[in-house]
Amino acid sequence: MLWEQQVSFMHESLSRSSEEAQCSCFTQTPAWHRSCCSAWAPRNVAAVPGGGTRGLCPFCPYRAAARLLVSLVVRVLLSRADLGSCGAPRRAPSFSLTLRCSFPSSSWWSHVEMGPPDPILGVTEAFKRDTNSKKMNLGVGAYRDDNGKPYVLSCVRKAEAMIASKKMDKEYLPIGGLADFTRASAELALGENSEAFKSGRYVTVQGISGTGSLRIGANFLQRFFKSSRDVYLPKPSWGNHTPIFRDAGLQLQAYRYYDPKTCSLDFTGAMEDISKIPEKSIILLHACAHNPTGVDPRQEQWKELAAVVKKRNLLVYFDMAYQGFASGDINRDAWAVRHFIEQGINIVLSQSYAKNMGLYGERAGAFTVICSDAEEAKRVESQLKILIRPMYSNPPLNGARIASIILNTPELRKEWLVEVKGMADRIIGMRTQLVSNLKKEGSSHNWQHITDQIGMFCFTGLKPEQVERLIKEFSIYMTKDGRISMAGVTSGNVGYLAHAIHQVTK
Amino acid sequence: MAAAASIFAAVPRAPPVAVFKLTADFREDADSRKVNLGVGAYRTDEGLPWVLPVVRKVEQMIAGDGKLNHEYLPILGLPEFRANASRIALGDDSPAIKENRIGSVQSLGGTGALRIGAEFLRRWYNGTNNTATPVYVSSPTWENHNSVFLDAGFKDIRTYHYWDAAKRGLDLQGLLDDMEKAPEFSIFILHACAHNPTGTDPTPDQWKQIAAVMKRRFLFPFFDSAYQGFASGSLDKDAWAVRYFVSEGFELFCAQSFSKNFGLYNERVGNLTVVGKDADNVQRVLSQMEKIVRTTWSNPPSQGARIVATTLTSPQLFAEWKDNVKTMADRVLLMRSELRSRLESLGTPGTWNHITDQIGMFSFTGLNPKQVEYMIKEKHIYLMASGRINMCGLTTKNLDYVAKSIHEAVTKIQ
């Protein structure tokens, strides 16, 4: 008798529209429950919409058994449906048939998909497994010295020694970060003679390196830039830009940038596309050392870009992750940023000290908004704090303090400028050597783009099949798009690299 | 060149975060008697910040180690940190660890861990992208809890009864009733120990009752553990509730902070511990959390994690650390008993046993907003409008003044 009741109810519940489907127990009368279960209590009753009550008997074995039956059917039928507000796909736990209501043996997370492996990390993983002594890792973008080793800058070591000797406390930073750091960061980007800097019509908050700074800015624009949801990225751009802006709630669009035929800037295409971007959209520009192509506009081209961007009244978001690291000259690398501001374009800017100070894992970065005046800057700052507080409360001190000491201590700053030029020069040297070695190998291709491009990365122009061969036959690892990290090239392996590239391209 | 109207012209000025404004006001106050009982950071009896001796030692070790560099950590963080941080929370003999069904995400402080957990739950819990899942926070709670879950996308943040102002203790019945009435699969933010701001924790028996209801109602436990060790002086005691839930078979999240118990406030060291049914589920969860981390901060800062990992993996340093933690906890306990005894000997109206019944850094004194205002304006003693005081702000030198001032506030102002 009891089972008939269960089966009929099961049919009933399945025929209901998905909106009405109960997410828990069946609708049975309290009397029904009371008759079967000693654990019944008067409060185990809930009202259901449309009248009637719902029994919530915790220990009813009949409930458990019927649930098992229903769950099998429901799981099949509803596995793909989204049931809306009550809680989407009805997770169907399987209860064991015991008197005690045991926990569902299935997990809350059964439906969680495995995230796709990070393509760049995948390169490093494969590299690590390779036993070839000649192997080269040209994947991830961290600087290496000519021995292929990580390089801790001497000015960083000195700053760290100063910090250790002072035995400072570890009190929370303000939400906006270390003031000496943010001020020095703004000055580094804008230039000490910048009107915007001197007038104080800017706000700079400390961010978690480049990513964190980009994300704060993205969230800020999502909340306060109501004119558009669209962010225009260059084609191609750093792989993480898209998910960052998307997770912040914005939409992604693109403008032409890289010309694969020439391995250089498609300036005409870029100007054409940008001049058609709807007014008051957001456009992201790489300030220098474009990632992943290494292709930067020349100064005359930057001037034209500024003019068209101003004409279209676009909000400019500069991503500057390589100031100093690109050309070796911090002022030259910040030229575009400063030019745009001088043209009256109130940009927003994210900076990273991961590469130019080698502070990768310390997460030192900054986000800046150029405002109309200092009063507006204060308002903007207050809102940035509201965004940061529920993300991580306040930023980590160590990296920012190292960067601040370097920027604010004259001898250390001088030393840093020499060291960052040293890194840039080594990269430029490797580019030159790679091209000359390719010539020596007898390659008939034009490899000029390797020396035309700038910064850590080089878009070789190699096709996926050629990349595949480099990995399989020569143990030279790079991403499928043919991007190599020049930092992984040394005087010791540049010959091997040239030889391998020639083999797969001749 | 006239500038066009700014796109940010309409951006309103946001109110400052209350607790930081309190400290700012305190700093500007010139009165020599001033006392800061606001922000939650440990202070010595001299009223100074305290860098744990073991932390200084490890910092010097790190500074002197020429082999260390500043390379990126993996997205999920320093492996030795993650494993040991979770082990601290769950216990060396945790069945979940033995069964290999735990995961960890190094995060930027407790806040960062909460945020990653919240972002994940919004995307993957109770369906996919189900922003309507109710999230319950205690009444009262740390004010940032609301913002974390709202900014993560949840639309329905509710409160559950917690603090009983009349009896100055836990409103267990109200709490359990709220859990009974909560829609199934609701998320509940539970303070693992040293409830902020009330300092009132459920007893083990009460936790058992809470767990029973949550199990039956399919409610998701998200623990916030910011004071492990700091509350009672014992790591194990302070982790009892989390471990009990694990032993009861729950899948849960636990956001851990090492800001207070390691005194590493500004290094942003935290950990999100994930306990799942089995390794496969946990792996998939971590893979999705990686994606969330990647667009939030890419990879976490290394300095603080190194300090914690070095300490936890060395038996000697670990013992030193536990000792340092006990030093802090003991000073807080002493201040509690001293404050209570002074109020009682002054004959301050009301009962004051809650000062010693409560645990951790904070105490809900029971002072009302008018009395709080009196304390701040007339006595230059800074505390939150809720009546919350940070016990760490008390010292042997200011105990008398604070006790007398509370006495005045309670007798003069109603």
Side-chain angles (χ1 to χ4, degrees):
Chain A
M1 226 300 259
L2 226 41
W3 278 109
E4 282 168 27
Q5 279 180 306
Q6 296 298 336
V7 168
S8 74
F9 175 74
M10 186 174 85
H11 284 158
E12 231 186 280
S13 68
L14 288 174
S15 65
R16 272 192 225 131
S17 77
S18 61
E19 291 303 301
E20 293 165 24
Q22 297 296 319
C23 54
S24 67
C25 194
F26 330 117
T27 302
Q28 289 294 344
T29 63
W32 183 87
H33 276 284
R34 233 180 282 137
S35 68
C36 85
C37 187
S38 58
W40 177 254
R43 68 189 173 102
N44 290 18
V45 177
V48 289
T53 55
R54 204 172 81 184
L56 300 168
C57 175
F59 296 117
C60 180
Y62 299 102
R63 175 185 184 227
R67 243 200 134 110
L68 179 62
L69 248 182
V70 173
S71 79
L72 291 172
V73 181
V74 165
R75 184 196 286 263
V76 168
L77 290 183
L78 296 181
S79 60
R80 281 181 144 71
D82 184 345
L83 294 187
S85 68
C86 185
R90 175 67 183 94
R91 181 189 66 86
S94 54
F95 281 82
S96 53
L97 289 174
T98 57
L99 280 172
R100 196 161 184 284
C101 176
S102 62
F103 237 151
S105 54
S106 76
S107 164
W108 286 121
W109 318 123
S110 319
H111 66 297
V112 174
E113 295 151 13
M114 190 71 183
D118 186 288
I120 296 169
L121 243 66
V123 169
T124 300
E125 302 290 296
F127 168 81
K128 283 200 192 121
R129 287 193 294 268
D130 194 321
T131 50
N132 185 340
S133 60
K134 284 206 157 99
K135 65 181 181 178
M136 290 174 69
N137 186 359
L138 302 181
V140 90
Y143 181 79
R144 295 286 175 264
D145 64 17
D146 202 46
N147 295 312
K149 295 277 181 287
Y151 172 57
V152 178
L153 278 66
S154 160
C155 61
V156 167
R157 286 227 188 277
K158 290 195 175 121
E160 287 180 298
M162 281 170 66
I163 292 168
S165 70
K166 285 201 185 132
K167 298 197 184 338
M168 294 181 253
D169 67 42
K170 312 205 80 61
E171 293 298 286
Y172 286 124
L173 278 179
I175 300 175
L178 185 67
D180 282 345
F181 168 73
T182 53
R183 199 199 49 80
S185 230
E187 190 195 38
L188 178 68
L190 307 182
E192 57 183 355
N193 295 319
S194 153
E195 165 273 325
F197 177 74
K198 289 200 285 209
S199 68
R201 64 178 186 93
Y202 72 94
V203 53
T204 300
V205 292
Q206 185 180 334
I208 314 297
S209 205
T211 300
S213 306
L214 279 163
R215 181 57 182 273
I216 292 170
N219 279 12
F220 175 74
L221 293 177
Q222 191 280 336
R223 200 173 271 191
F224 291 103
F225 188 67
K226 293 307 183 189
S227 319
S228 173
R229 305 283 76 179
D230 286 327
V231 179
Y232 283 78
L233 301 180
K235 232 187 297 192
S237 193
W238 181 45
N240 208 18
H241 277 146
T242 295
I244 287 172
F245 285 104
R246 194 176 285 146
D247 278 6
L250 297 168
Q251 282 151 211
L252 282 311
Q253 310 291 347
Y255 56 91
R256 274 174 288 171
Y257 190 81
Y258 178 72
D259 184 350
K261 286 193 228 66
T262 59
C263 295
S264 65
L265 180 64
D266 177 5
F267 186 61
T268 318
M271 288 297 286
E272 253 178 55
D273 285 354
I274 293 174
S275 59
K276 295 204 195 88
I277 293 178
E279 289 202 21
K280 296 195 187 166
S281 304
I282 302 161
I283 180 170
L284 183 126
L285 296 162
H286 297 225
C288 61
H290 181 272
N291 178 359
T293 67
V295 168
D296 284 352
R298 293 189 305 276
Q299 281 185 6
E300 316 88 71
Q301 293 172 320
W302 273 124
K303 286 180 179 161
E304 288 192 54
L305 286 164
V308 71
V309 138
K310 199 171 169 185
K311 193 149 167 238
R312 300 301 300 155
N313 198 8
L314 305 177
L315 188 146
V316 175
Y317 198 149
F318 265 112
D319 181 356
M320 185 154 68
Y322 299 97
Q323 188 184 4
F325 193 94
S327 69
D329 178 338
I330 49 162
N331 294 310
R332 189 150 154 213
D333 289 345
W335 191 87
V337 168
R338 298 175 187 181
H339 175 74
F340 273 56
I341 297 173
E342 280 159 23
Q343 296 306 303
I345 303 168
N346 287 353
I347 65 162
V348 303
L349 164 75
S350 96
Q351 292 168 271
S352 167
Y353 292 88
K355 283 78 167 179
N356 60 9
M357 282 195 185
L359 290 175
Y360 307 93
E362 303 296 340
R363 319 312 291 131
F367 174 69
T368 296
V369 181
I370 304 297
C371 300
S372 313
D373 52 49
E375 187 272 333
E376 180 177 284
K378 280 271 161 266
R379 281 185 282 114
V380 169
E381 182 184 25
S382 71
Q383 295 295 348
L384 289 171
K385 288 185 193 171
I386 299 283
L387 277 166
I388 292 171
R389 172 91 167 135
M391 227 187 261
Y392 51 82
S393 273
N394 41 73
L397 172 65
N398 200 44
R401 189 148 60 185
I402 293 170
S404 173
I405 287 178
I406 291 171
L407 293 173
N408 291 311
T409 311
E411 320 88 69
L412 288 183
R413 190 184 178 112
K414 266 198 214 96
E415 198 174 338
W416 172 58
L417 292 176
V418 169
E419 288 190 279
V420 78
K421 186 172 189 308
M423 290 192 285
D425 283 348
R426 192 185 92 66
I427 301 276
I428 292 168
M430 287 301 104
R431 289 179 181 276
T432 312
Q433 282 196 44
L434 180 57
V435 172
S436 67
N437 272 280
L438 281 163
K439 278 206 186 81
K440 260 191 252 151
E441 287 283 329
S443 177
S444 54
H445 294 286
N446 180 0
W447 297 104
Q448 192 189 329
H449 54 280
I450 291 182
T451 40
D452 284 348
Q453 290 167 9
I454 194 169
M456 194 175 287
F457 300 110
C458 172
F459 243 31
T460 54
L462 291 168
K463 301 189 182 46
E465 320 83 69
Q466 295 165 327
V467 170
E468 190 73 30
R469 283 188 62 195
L470 283 175
I471 296 176
K472 289 214 158 60
E473 295 173 32
F474 296 92
S475 297
I476 294 174
Y477 292 81
M478 63 188 70
T479 44
K480 283 287 187 308
D481 53 11
R483 181 193 89 161
I484 58 175
S485 167
M486 292 307 300
V489 183
T490 68
S491 46
N493 62 27
V494 65
Y496 178 66
L497 176 61
H499 174 76
I501 291 179
H502 178 57
Q503 293 308 308
V504 306
T505 55
K506 63 181 181 190
Chain B
M1 174 176 41
S6 166
I7 42 181
F8 302 126
V11 171
R13 182 80 174 249
V17 176
V19 69
F20 298 130
K21 169 102 181 26
L22 196 70
T23 296
D25 291 345
F26 167 81
R27 274 206 206 101
E28 277 169 29
D29 192 328
D31 196 298
S32 59
R33 298 166 296 170
K34 67 180 183 178
V35 182
N36 186 0
L37 300 180
V39 104
Y42 180 79
R43 294 283 177 270
T44 62
D45 198 53
E46 283 77 44
L48 295 171
W50 190 54
V51 177
L52 277 60
V54 73
V55 167
R56 274 279 180 252
K57 192 188 272 194
V58 174
E59 274 189 323
Q60 301 297 320
M61 277 165 65
I62 290 173
D65 187 347
K67 287 196 264 39
L68 288 174
N69 56 42
H70 294 290
E71 292 296 290
Y72 287 126
L73 285 182
I75 297 173
L76 294 179
L78 186 67
E80 311 86 82
F81 167 79
R82 295 164 55 207
N84 283 286
S86 290
R87 187 176 56 82
I88 289 290
L90 303 179
D92 288 326
D93 50 2
S94 170
I97 295 180
K98 287 205 179 78
E99 292 155 25
N100 194 27
R101 52 187 182 87
I102 72 132
S104 334
V105 179
Q106 181 187 336
S107 311
L108 269 74
T111 307
L114 283 164
R115 182 62 177 263
I116 299 299
E119 292 277 356
F120 176 85
L121 290 174
R122 191 261 298 161
R123 286 165 172 72
W124 293 102
Y125 175 70
N126 200 18
T128 48
N129 203 37
N130 186 358
T131 58
T133 304
V135 178
Y136 283 81
V137 300
S138 66
S139 173
T141 194
W142 182 48
E143 98 288 347
N144 208 16
H145 278 149
N146 282 272
S147 316
V148 168
F149 283 84
L150 278 171
D151 278 15
F154 285 101
K155 305 254 184 285
D156 187 358
I157 319 282
R158 310 181 187 184
T159 56
Y160 59 89
H161 285 84
Y162 194 85
W163 171 248
D164 186 330
K167 69 172 207 210
R168 289 193 194 159
L170 178 67
D171 177 5
L172 180 69
Q173 197 49 55
L175 193 165
L176 294 175
D177 281 346
D178 284 340
M179 286 185 168
E180 291 287 358
K181 293 199 205 93
E184 288 189 341
F185 318 132
S186 296
I187 296 163
F188 273 76
I189 313 305
L190 305 167
H191 297 230
C193 67
H195 183 271
N196 177 359
T198 70
T200 300
D201 290 343
T203 63
D205 259 342
Q206 292 172 330
W207 274 122
K208 285 179 179 168
Q209 293 180 62
I210 292 169
V213 178
M214 291 188 74
K215 188 187 277 196
R216 179 165 37 82
R217 306 273 315 127
F218 302 112
L219 306 173
F220 184 83
F222 196 150
F223 279 98
D224 183 353
S225 176
Y227 301 98
Q228 191 185 359
F230 195 98
S232 69
S234 155
L235 292 170
D236 294 323
K237 197 155 166 221
D238 290 346
W240 189 89
V242 179
R243 296 176 189 183
Y244 176 72
F245 272 65
V246 171
S247 70
E248 284 292 297
F250 281 89
E251 290 184 303
L252 55 83
F253 286 176
C254 179
Q256 300 167 260
S257 168
F258 292 91
S259 292
K260 283 80 169 174
N261 60 14
F262 258 90
L264 285 173
Y265 306 95
N266 63 26
E267 301 291 3
R268 315 312 295 128
V269 204
N271 188 50
L272 178 68
T273 290
V274 174
V275 179
K277 278 280 178 256
D278 54 52
D280 180 67
N281 274 295
V282 170
Q283 283 321 300
R284 281 180 285 108
V285 167
L286 287 184
S287 74
Q288 293 297 345
M289 286 186 172
E290 236 184 55
K291 284 176 68 179
I292 295 169
V293 168
R294 184 67 168 136
T295 61
T296 314
W297 55 64
S298 258
N299 43 76
S302 63
Q303 180 72 351
R306 268 186 186 152
I307 295 172
V308 174
T310 305
T311 306
L312 297 182
T313 50
S314 150
Q316 186 205 333
L317 294 172
F318 182 57
E320 270 185 58
W321 173 56
K322 283 197 284 191
D323 204 56
N324 289 169
V325 172
K326 193 161 185 313
T327 300
M328 293 190 285
D330 284 349
R331 193 180 99 67
V332 169
L333 288 166
L334 179 67
M335 290 299 103
R336 284 185 180 279
S337 71
E338 292 286 295
L339 180 63
R340 173 184 169 182
S341 67
R342 275 167 179 71
L343 291 170
E344 282 170 350
S345 52
L346 282 169
T348 310
T351 53
W352 299 100
N353 54 289
H354 58 282
I355 302 265
T356 45
D357 289 344
Q358 289 164 9
I359 195 168
M361 201 179 274
F362 301 114
S363 174
F364 243 29
T365 52
L367 292 174
N368 66 39
K370 283 211 202 76
Q371 293 163 337
V372 169
E373 204 185 327
Y374 175 84
M375 294 282 283
I376 298 176
K377 291 220 156 60
E378 306 299 326
K379 315 303 292 185
H380 306 271
I381 297 174
Y382 290 75
L383 63 155
M384 302 296 288
S386 59
R388 181 191 92 167
I389 60 172
N390 177 5
M391 300 307 300
C392 302
L394 293 173
T395 68
T396 47
K397 290 189 199 59
N398 65 27
L399 268 168
D400 286 333
Y401 178 61
V402 173
K404 281 208 197 78
S405 304
I406 292 177
H407 182 84
E408 275 182 42
V410 171
T411 48
K412 282 188 187 166
I413 319 272
Q414 262 75 53

